[in-house]
Amino acid sequence: MRNFLPRSVSGIGVDSGWLWEYLKKRDGLAGNVLSYAPDTPPVPKNPMPEQRFDQFQSLQQQQTIAPQMQQSLQMLQAPTMELRHLVQQELVANPTLEEESTEVSLEEVTSPDEDEEFEKEFAELSQLDEEWREYMAQSRTAAPKRDDADEKHQFVLDSIVEPVTLQEHLLNQLSLSGHSGELREVTANLIGNIDENGFLQADLEEMSFDLGISYDLLEEARSLIQSFDPVGIGAEDLRDCLLIQLERLGKHHSLEYRIVDHHLDDLARKRYPQIAKKLSVTPEQITEAASHIARLDPRPGSRFGTDNNTYVTPDLTIEKVGDEWVVAMNNEQIPRLRISNSYKDLMASGSGKDARAYIRDKIRAGKFLIKSIHQRQDTIRAIAEEILKRQQDFFAHGTSHLKPMNMAQVAEVVGVHETTVSRAVSGKYMSTPHGVFEMKYFFTTGYATADGGEVSNTSVKQALADLIASEDTKKPYSDEAIMKELDKQGIKIARRTVAKYREALHILPSHMRRSY
């Protein structure tokens, strides 16, 4: 019998594995290839995994915070002014809430006897008022009319204007300078390149090349700006700024001018003996000249900057009543809320099912909000009372008597978690006899003293600052000497801690504090 390959496996590109299987089958079956199905598609050895979608159930445990609990935490963490904003939002969103009015109707508090007594008192006051009017009329005829107080008050009100920026101040002077044409246009362009400190941030050579303006015209415009107020404006750097101010003071040939012009780096490092040697003067003369230079303004444009002062409203006040310290909450800034009686009556009147469900949910949300605000105030009060209990010496004597305290200690006494204390004191301020402090200020670490007590790091910083303030400026304390002096006071800290606290207080090292 003639052997042959089926057409399906004899073409180009046939898998060699399938060809090998055919040859084995051919040899074993003596040429009987009728059992082979040439039209059967080949099955790959490594079939692709079957893709399918399955549904299954699983049991998981997950912790989430309910929306009402999130609102309660938000109320606790919000400062007073932010809390007012949140309450106003709730008043708009929840119609069942309303703010309690402090006004009381006369019908609710007066009786007939009280009315008669009031009318009698009112008649006496009216008679006194008429007598006072007659006296004032006689006084006006005897003396000329004076409205100085009213005029001063009106002048103060008229003087309250929007603050002027540095660029506006310079442009106003430019408009009054009498210059016009190209010089005025170029000067206005340069004014736009002056930063908030009053320094010119543009390179004149680059501007001349980029804008095609004469370099001499740019220099003339810069000189014009430097003649404006404030003195020192339009300088390229600190050295140029100080030299302009000295020239305006008529000290072009003074010792101060020579120091700034040639020895500004040595002056910054207080190398007075080296400067004195180079200029052939005494260190005392250099010290006096440095004091004059220190009166110059290194940032003449800064007084036109925006006011970055932050105004806060204390959440509570610590004050002494008799012989006892008490905590007084500032509840005046927090709106007093209640559930509207009209919606309570609407619930009782048997409204529709959907309306009753809507009102019920809103009333429930309103009650929870009121409860959250009361709980916030109670928590802050409890924490403040514990702070007062632990920091009695601070309130009586000041910062130097602040004791170490952490949030875990207060949380244990108040009966809340440590994170709750952290949220409660965040952004809250306390008014004390020694100033307004953030409540976080009272939580600080400390050190052990020689007598077995504890002192906070804030008190250590205060002791360090007092020590440096009373030192001999000709022989200032080094960090090692400060460490030894504090050790004499019973405060044991390392020299590197002294250096860290000194830098935190922005106090210079000893060689920079020395005077000659």
Side-chain angles (χ1 to χ4, degrees):
M1 180 180 295
R2 184 180 177 183
N3 293 328
F4 63 93
L5 287 174
R7 183 178 300 175
S8 61
V9 296
S10 61
I12 299 174
V14 160
D15 190 342
S16 60
W18 284 97
L19 180 60
W20 173 247
E21 290 294 330
Y22 170 76
L23 293 175
K24 287 198 301 180
K25 187 178 295 186
R26 185 196 65 178
D27 295 338
L29 296 176
N32 185 11
V33 296
L34 297 178
S35 62
Y36 178 76
D39 295 331
T40 304
V43 180
K45 290 183 178 180
N46 298 319
M48 294 290 294
E50 183 180 358
Q51 295 183 359
R52 61 183 181 180
F53 295 97
D54 294 332
Q55 292 183 350
F56 59 91
Q57 294 181 345
S58 64
L59 186 62
Q60 295 181 349
Q61 193 174 20
Q62 187 176 4
Q63 185 177 8
T64 58
I65 300 179
Q68 288 185 334
M69 183 59 65
Q70 292 180 358
Q71 183 188 52
S72 179
L73 294 176
Q74 186 182 19
M75 294 290 173
L76 178 62
Q77 192 167 359
T80 301
M81 301 310 295
E82 184 179 343
L83 179 63
R84 285 181 58 87
H85 179 67
L86 293 174
V87 170
Q88 292 298 329
Q89 288 181 335
E90 290 295 327
L91 285 171
V92 174
N94 193 340
T96 63
L97 279 175
E98 64 180 13
E99 190 171 353
E100 290 186 12
S101 175
T102 57
E103 297 179 358
V104 182
S105 61
L106 294 176
E107 291 80 0
E108 297 177 356
V109 298
T110 59
S111 62
D113 294 337
E114 291 175 346
D115 290 340
E116 293 179 1
E117 184 177 354
F118 174 75
E119 290 178 358
K120 182 180 179 180
E121 184 178 355
F122 182 76
E124 294 176 355
L125 292 174
S126 299
Q127 184 177 358
L128 290 174
D129 182 64
E130 289 295 335
E131 295 175 356
W132 178 253
R133 288 176 183 272
E134 292 178 0
Y135 171 77
M136 290 300 297
Q138 295 175 0
S139 299
R140 292 192 189 98
T141 57
K145 181 179 180 180
R146 295 179 58 88
D147 294 331
D148 292 347
D150 294 339
E151 290 179 1
K152 290 180 180 178
H153 179 68
Q154 187 62 38
F155 176 77
V156 171
L157 294 178
D158 294 339
S159 301
I160 301 175
V161 295
E162 186 177 357
V164 179
T165 64
L166 176 61
Q167 278 71 25
E168 291 174 346
H169 181 64
L170 296 175
L171 290 173
N172 289 336
Q173 295 178 77
L174 176 62
S175 63
L176 298 173
S177 64
H179 294 85
S180 60
E182 190 176 6
L183 176 59
R184 178 168 180 170
E185 182 179 351
V186 173
T187 305
N189 195 341
L190 286 183
I191 288 175
N193 288 277
I194 293 178
D195 64 11
E196 65 276 4
N197 292 323
F199 294 100
L200 182 62
Q201 298 297 317
D203 185 86
L204 298 188
E205 292 184 357
E206 292 182 1
M207 288 190 67
S208 177
F209 179 78
D210 295 339
L211 303 178
I213 303 174
S214 170
Y215 184 80
D216 294 336
L217 182 60
L218 287 170
E219 279 195 327
E220 185 180 357
R222 182 178 61 180
S223 299
L224 178 60
I225 293 174
Q226 291 177 355
S227 66
F228 290 165
D229 176 76
V231 182
I233 203 73
E236 295 180 354
D237 51 28
L238 176 61
R239 172 181 165 277
D240 191 22
C241 175
L242 298 178
L243 291 177
I244 292 172
Q245 296 180 56
L246 289 172
E247 287 177 357
R248 191 78 69 89
L249 294 172
K251 293 187 175 183
H252 184 75
H253 301 288
S254 64
L255 178 60
E256 292 88 345
Y257 193 95
R258 286 188 290 163
I259 292 173
V260 173
D261 195 13
H262 301 289
H263 306 285
L264 188 59
D265 291 341
D266 290 334
L267 178 66
R269 292 172 173 80
K270 279 199 167 185
R271 297 172 179 170
Y272 294 171
Q274 292 87 332
I275 300 175
K277 185 177 181 181
K278 293 176 183 178
L279 296 179
S280 301
V281 294
T282 63
E284 290 76 12
Q285 289 177 295
I286 299 297
T287 302
E288 184 179 358
S291 65
H292 294 160
I293 296 172
R295 298 191 186 101
L296 303 177
D297 190 353
R299 294 184 295 272
S302 59
R303 62 186 176 95
F304 291 91
T306 56
D307 186 8
N308 295 323
N309 292 331
T310 302
Y311 298 92
V312 297
T313 301
D315 294 82
L316 50 95
T317 301
I318 303 294
E319 55 186 356
K320 194 169 187 179
V321 179
D323 296 332
E324 188 175 347
W325 292 94
V326 296
V327 177
M329 297 296 297
N330 184 12
N331 293 322
E332 296 180 357
Q333 300 295 330
I334 300 177
R336 300 177 60 185
L337 304 179
R338 68 180 180 185
I339 303 299
S340 175
N341 291 328
S342 59
Y343 281 93
K344 292 180 181 179
D345 298 338
L346 192 61
M347 281 286 293
S349 63
S351 302
K353 183 178 179 181
D354 294 339
R356 288 173 58 85
Y358 172 80
I359 296 173
R360 186 184 302 110
D361 292 341
K362 291 297 181 181
I363 290 178
R364 188 176 302 161
K367 288 182 178 179
F368 188 84
L369 175 66
I370 296 172
K371 181 180 178 182
S372 297
I373 295 175
H374 289 168
Q375 188 175 3
R376 171 192 186 271
Q377 297 300 94
D378 292 342
T379 303
I380 294 176
R381 173 185 283 275
I383 294 172
E385 289 176 348
E386 183 61 22
I387 292 174
L388 175 60
K389 180 180 177 181
R390 292 175 176 268
Q391 302 290 355
Q392 289 274 351
D393 292 339
F394 167 85
F395 296 107
H397 305 291
T399 308
S400 59
H401 291 76
L402 188 66
K403 296 180 179 178
M405 184 177 66
N406 58 53
M407 294 184 182
Q409 296 171 336
V410 175
E412 183 179 0
V413 175
V414 176
V416 296
H417 195 268
E418 184 177 349
T419 57
T420 303
V421 176
S422 177
R423 289 190 178 96
V425 301
S426 177
K428 314 302 188 306
Y429 289 84
M430 177 186 295
S431 178
T432 72
H434 308 288
V436 178
F437 296 89
E438 190 174 6
M439 293 182 70
K440 282 185 177 180
Y441 174 83
F442 298 95
F443 296 93
T444 177
T445 57
Y447 300 91
T449 58
D451 57 0
E454 288 184 326
V455 59
S456 69
N457 57 3
T458 305
S459 300
V460 174
K461 291 179 181 179
Q462 184 64 42
L464 187 150
D466 294 340
L467 193 62
I468 293 177
S470 61
E471 70 182 357
D472 183 2
T473 56
K474 293 185 177 181
K475 295 181 180 180
Y477 290 119
S478 63
D479 292 343
E480 185 76 21
I482 292 174
M483 182 191 71
K484 294 178 180 179
E485 290 295 325
L486 291 176
D487 187 37
K488 294 177 183 179
Q489 299 179 18
I491 304 173
K492 297 182 178 295
I493 58 175
R495 186 189 61 80
R496 62 178 180 273
T497 306
V498 172
K500 182 177 72 173
Y501 287 174
R502 177 179 53 74
E503 293 174 359
L505 294 171
H506 305 288
I507 297 176
L508 297 173
S510 58
H511 70 279
M512 299 286 287
R513 302 197 307 271
R514 187 188 308 274
S515 62
Y516 298 89

